[in-house]
Every structure is written in C-alpha cells, then in structure tokens.
C-alpha cells in the first residue's frame, strides 16, 4: 500500500487558533476509521522525514495497515495537535510531540498513559529513556522514574561536538573532554589561522523558541550548573551561582571566536559554517551530521569528526510518539501497535539505515550503515547514557521568552555575563513566583 504524505495548509482564525483548512490525502482508503486498518499520524517537516517515510512504508508492508502521514512545518505541529484536542475532532490517532512541549501536553492531561490501553505495556530494555523522558510525574510536574508512561522517543536527537580532524591533526589537538578544553582548542585554532572561526553554535535569540537557550544548556549543565535549584522540588532559579557565571562567560568567549555578529547565527548558519570549512568546531544536534557528510552540500565530508558533547551533559531534543488522551477506545490499540512497531528493533533499523537518529541501543549493527554514519551515531549513542533534559518545563513558553534575548545579549557581548545573569535571575524569579511554583 502506498502511504499518503500530505502537506497541509493552515489559517489563523479570529481567535488566533490554528485550524486545518486544507489537507490533501485525508481519505481512509485502507479501511473504515477505527477499524485498525488505517491510521492518521501527524509529523513535522524535517530533514529526517525520508527516514520516517521508510519506516512507515515498512510498517504498512508488514501489517497491511494504511498510514496517512500528515506533515506540517515544525512550528505548526503543536498548534495542530492542540486544535485537535480542543475541538475533539480526533483527526489524529498518533501525536508527535517535540520534547520541549511534552511537559505542557502532559501537564494539561492531553496524552493517554500507554498502560491505560495495555496494562502490561512497558518500554523495551534497549530503549534510551533520555533522563526519564517517557515517564511523567504529575505531582512534581517533571519526568521521573516511576511516573506514568505517556510517550516513546522516536528521534534520538541530542547535542554532539563536530570538529575538523585535519585541523586537529595539524595542530596536535585532541577531542575536548570539557568546556575549558573546547575553548582552548578554539583559541589555538584562531591563533594559528587554520580556519576563519575557532568555534560556532547557535547564538541567535528568538523569544519563545529553543535556540541559544538549548545550546547554552549543554554548557551550563556540563559545568555543573542548572537553570533551577531542583526542578519539581525547588523551582528557585539558580543563575546566581558560580557555575552559572562560568557557563555564561564560556558562552561569551566561545561566541567571540565565531562570526562578528553572534545574534545572526542560528542553527542553519552554524551548520553552514562547518559545511563550508570556515569553522573548526561546532556543537549541534546529531541530526545535523547527515547534512555535514553530504557531498552535495559539504566541503568537509572527509575531514570531520564527531565526539560526545564536552562536559558529559548533552541536552536532549527528541521527537516523541504519543496517543491523544481522548482518542476513541476503538482506535487506541491500533495507535499503540503503530508506536510499538515503529520504535521496535525492526522499525528502528529501517530508521537508522535511512538516516534517522535511533532511540535504541541495539540497532547500530544494522546492515547498510557505513563508517561515516557510525562515526556520529557512536557519539550520539554514547551521549544518550548521560544526556540531560534541560528544557522540560511546564512554563516553557514564559521561560524561553526571557532566556532567548538575555543569553543572545550575553553571547554578543552587549552585556556582561554578570549583568545578563542578574537580570535573567530576576525575570525567572518573577515567572515562577507568579505561576505559583515558588512563594516569596
């Protein structure tokens, strides 16, 4: 059976909610809705779509179930799911939730615990849990062992370090183990003038989006800091600590070894600087590796190496498969069957051999993986064991609205790290106080 990938258009209603107005391929040729013979699944428009397409096609071949895979721009996926939940249209059998939005979806009880469908359901031991991401603790509003199983990671995206092996060899450098080593390497590279930039990363601030905040979080956690004292127990902001100051200073110093206008460097720009050979180091999500190794887009495919993120605290940025909380009962088992197969060893082997970032530890020996793919997949897999969930907040929108501009200003040198963190500490304190997470 041929899967239908439909690219949908959206319109903004008078109430500013996003409503589906046109979507090709919305039929249910494979069987009556709810029969288990057809499914409608939402996904994002992303570079790893071909890998997901291949998995879904394999699922259709294996089961005879017809999957209507509807793709939307990344920024619209959340709105489409919220609109579906609010209206009760039950358009989708399976939701695909960005990690940064999982706390919101769980906190608002929009997702169904998978054990409500099958009381004996449990994660396979080979699945990475990324700092307990699948398990939602409603009492603390955090992800914790023993919480309800509400999601399964589909794409194991997290940050790694990409570096120029030829430059490292010429200068006698080793892959850095911590952030001071990373800065030292970058300074050596700039002093030797072997590349234009010693280091690059996202330093552009976009309020409400996880850009510079996400990249900074790897530095912050890797240097022993945290945004909050003890999420779930003590939400007091912790950006007034020596560790936070060291991390913010590191952010500024690394940014100074990159482009002259750090606030213009988003993820695409940072990756392009590595592809062109202008940058010698890059901290970026693992999913970017396939583009860096693509001979049609990159000048460094034979001179690039990959390593776990320095500091041993890689921030996670996964996409996760979930089931809507109010999905009609007759459609629930088919939705769970789909998620189970797609995240199984069989499904994930198809995913990884077609360029996806797997969420299992037992698929890196899949047939068809070449040495270049294994180079970055090994770095991603090693990072998964010590990964940190840094942006899983029930108040994520308010949080990012203040962290993005504040951290971008620090990176650009427009304020000192001390000044920037002091202002950010005050703003975050107001957010958690007004939200009732801490009392004055």
């Amino acid at each position: 059976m041929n899967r239908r990938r439909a690219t949908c258009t959206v319109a903004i209603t008078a109430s500013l909610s996003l409503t589906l107005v046109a979507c090709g391929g919305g039929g249910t040729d494979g069987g009556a809705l709810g029969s288990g013979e057809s499914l409608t699944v939402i996904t994002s428009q992303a570079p790893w779509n071909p890998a997901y397409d291949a998995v879904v096609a394999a699922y259709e071949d294996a089961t005879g179930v017809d999957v209507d895979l509807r793709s939307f721009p990344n920024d619209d996926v959340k709105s489409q799911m919220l609109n579906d939940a609010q209206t009760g249209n039950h358009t989708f059998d399976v939701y695909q939730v960005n990690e940064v939005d999982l706390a919101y979806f769980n906190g608002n009880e929009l997702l169904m615990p998978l054990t409500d469908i099958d009381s004996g359901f449990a994660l396979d031991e080979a699945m990475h849990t990324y700092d307990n991401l699948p398990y939602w603790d409603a009492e603390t509003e955090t992800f914790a062992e023993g919480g309800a199983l509400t999601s399964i990671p589909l794409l194991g995206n997290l940050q790694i370090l990409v570096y120029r092996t030829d430059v490292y060899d010429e200068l006698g450098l080793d892959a850095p183990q911590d952030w001071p080593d990373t800065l030292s390497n970058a300074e050596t590279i700039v002093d030797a003038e072997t590349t234009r930039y010693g280091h690059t990363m996202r330093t552009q601030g976009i309020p409400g989006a996880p850009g510079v905040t996400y990249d900074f979080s790897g530095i912050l956690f890797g240097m022993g800091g945290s945004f909050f004292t003890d999420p779930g127990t003590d939400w007091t902001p912790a950006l007034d600590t020596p560790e936070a100051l060291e991390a913010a200073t590191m952010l500024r110093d690394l940014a100074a070894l990159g482009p002259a206008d750090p606030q213009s460097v988003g993820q695409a720009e940072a990756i392009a600087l590595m592809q062109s050979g202008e940058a010698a180091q890059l901290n970026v999500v693992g999913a970017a590796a396939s583009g860096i190794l693509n001979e049609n887009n990159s000048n460094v495919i034979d001179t690039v190496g990959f390593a776990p993120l320095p500091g041993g605290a890689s921030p996670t940025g996964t996409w996760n498969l979930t089931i809507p909380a109010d999905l009609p009962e007759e459609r629930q088992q088919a939705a769970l069957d789909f998620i189970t197969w797609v995240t199984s060893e069989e499904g994930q082997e198809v995913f990884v051999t077609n360029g996806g970032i797997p969420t299992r530890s037992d698929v890196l020996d899949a047939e068809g993986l070449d040495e270049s793919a294994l180079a970055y997949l090994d770095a991603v897999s090693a990072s998964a064991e010590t990964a940190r969930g840094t942006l899983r907040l029930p108040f994520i929108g308010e949080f990012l609205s203040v962290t993005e501009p504040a951290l971008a200003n620090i990176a650009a040198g427009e304020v000192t790290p001390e000044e920037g963190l002091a202002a950010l500490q005050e703003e975050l304190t107001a957010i958690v106080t007004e939200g009732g997470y801490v009392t004055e």
Side-chain angles (χ1 to χ4, degrees):
M1 298 183 181
N2 294 321
R3 180 182 64 272
R4 300 178 303 278
R5 172 179 288 280
T7 301
C8 304
T9 59
V10 297
I12 300 179
T13 67
S15 63
L16 299 182
S17 63
L18 286 168
T19 305
L20 182 66
V21 295
C23 183
T28 54
D29 301 357
L33 193 63
S35 67
E37 299 174 5
S38 66
L39 289 167
T40 302
V41 179
I42 190 171
T43 191
S44 60
Q45 293 172 3
W48 51 273
N49 279 157
Y52 195 22
D53 284 339
V55 176
V56 174
Y59 175 75
E60 290 180 324
D61 289 342
T63 65
V65 175
D66 185 36
V67 180
D68 182 2
L69 192 62
R70 300 187 182 183
S71 66
F72 295 86
N74 281 6
D75 292 342
D76 293 338
V77 174
K78 178 181 179 181
S79 298
Q80 288 294 322
M81 293 184 297
L82 291 178
N83 183 65
D84 183 61
Q86 181 180 22
T87 61
N89 286 337
H90 308 309
T91 300
F92 307 110
D93 296 280
V94 175
Y95 283 172
Q96 179 183 299
V97 184
N98 195 328
E99 178 179 328
V100 75
D101 297 318
L102 263 182
Y104 179 88
F105 274 76
N106 276 300
N108 285 279
E109 300 181 344
L110 300 179
L111 306 180
M112 180 179 296
L114 303 183
T115 52
D116 285 0
I117 302 172
D118 178 354
S119 61
F121 187 82
L123 280 186
D124 190 302
E125 291 182 357
M127 291 292 301
H128 293 303
T129 59
Y130 304 105
D131 200 10
N132 296 313
L133 182 60
Y135 304 103
W136 175 249
D137 186 330
E139 183 176 350
T140 61
E141 295 189 81
T142 60
F143 298 89
E145 187 175 355
L149 176 57
T150 61
S151 66
I152 299 182
L154 166 66
L155 177 78
N157 216 11
L158 41 73
Q159 278 218 330
I160 58 175
L161 181 76
V162 186
Y163 61 95
R164 288 278 300 280
T165 55
D166 55 337
V167 172
Y168 269 43
D169 289 343
E170 178 183 344
L171 300 177
L173 302 176
D174 295 320
Q177 300 300 306
D178 56 29
W179 287 103
D181 284 348
T182 307
L183 178 62
S184 177
N185 281 0
E187 290 173 337
T188 299
I189 290 164
V190 169
D191 289 343
E193 299 182 347
T194 50
T195 63
R196 185 176 183 183
Y197 302 120
H199 192 89
T200 187
M201 58 183 166
R202 281 189 294 187
T203 43
Q204 180 184 64
I206 305 175
V212 61
T213 306
Y214 179 77
D215 283 21
F216 171 69
S217 67
I219 301 174
L220 177 64
F221 278 81
M223 299 187 78
S226 179
F227 286 107
F228 300 94
T229 301
D230 185 17
T233 301
D234 184 353
W235 288 101
T236 303
L239 295 179
D240 56 356
T241 63
E243 293 84 0
L245 180 58
E246 284 185 307
T249 303
M250 181 63 64
L251 172 69
R252 180 200 62 188
D253 292 348
L254 285 171
L257 299 173
D261 181 13
Q263 297 206 42
S264 68
V265 183
Q267 182 166 270
E269 290 77 16
I271 294 171
L273 290 173
M274 175 58 70
Q275 291 173 316
S276 68
E278 293 182 274
Q281 297 180 162
L282 166 68
N283 54 292
V284 71
V285 291
S290 59
I292 294 171
L293 293 171
N294 186 329
E295 62 182 9
N296 296 319
N297 302 321
S298 178
N299 297 326
V300 297
I301 59 172
D302 296 321
T303 57
V304 65
F306 306 91
L309 198 70
S314 179
T316 53
T318 62
W319 281 100
N320 306 272
L321 297 178
T322 68
I323 295 176
D326 61 348
L327 188 70
E329 184 175 357
E330 65 271 15
R331 295 164 59 181
Q332 295 173 10
Q333 187 60 55
L336 182 59
D337 290 345
F338 172 83
I339 293 175
T340 302
W341 196 95
V342 166
T343 58
S344 69
E345 183 176 4
E346 182 179 1
Q348 286 274 296
E349 282 188 350
V350 175
F351 193 51
V352 70
T353 55
N354 283 276
I357 304 293
T359 55
R360 299 179 62 95
S361 62
D362 57 0
V363 298
L364 295 189
D365 58 353
E367 294 184 8
L369 284 177
D370 58 32
E371 290 186 8
S372 62
L374 283 172
Y376 72 84
L377 290 173
D378 282 342
V380 171
S381 183
S383 299
E385 299 305 317
T386 57
R388 295 288 297 272
T390 58
L391 301 180
R392 305 172 182 176
L393 308 174
F395 46 89
I396 187 65
E398 296 93 331
F399 173 80
L400 291 173
S401 70
V402 298
T403 59
E404 283 290 295
L407 292 171
N409 286 337
I410 292 173
E414 295 187 359
V415 297
T416 66
E418 293 86 351
E419 293 169 337
L421 289 184
L424 190 51
Q425 177 79 6
E426 183 176 346
E427 290 181 284
L428 290 179
T429 298
I431 288 174
V432 296
T433 302
E434 293 170 6
Y437 292 93
V438 299
T439 57
E440 293 182 292

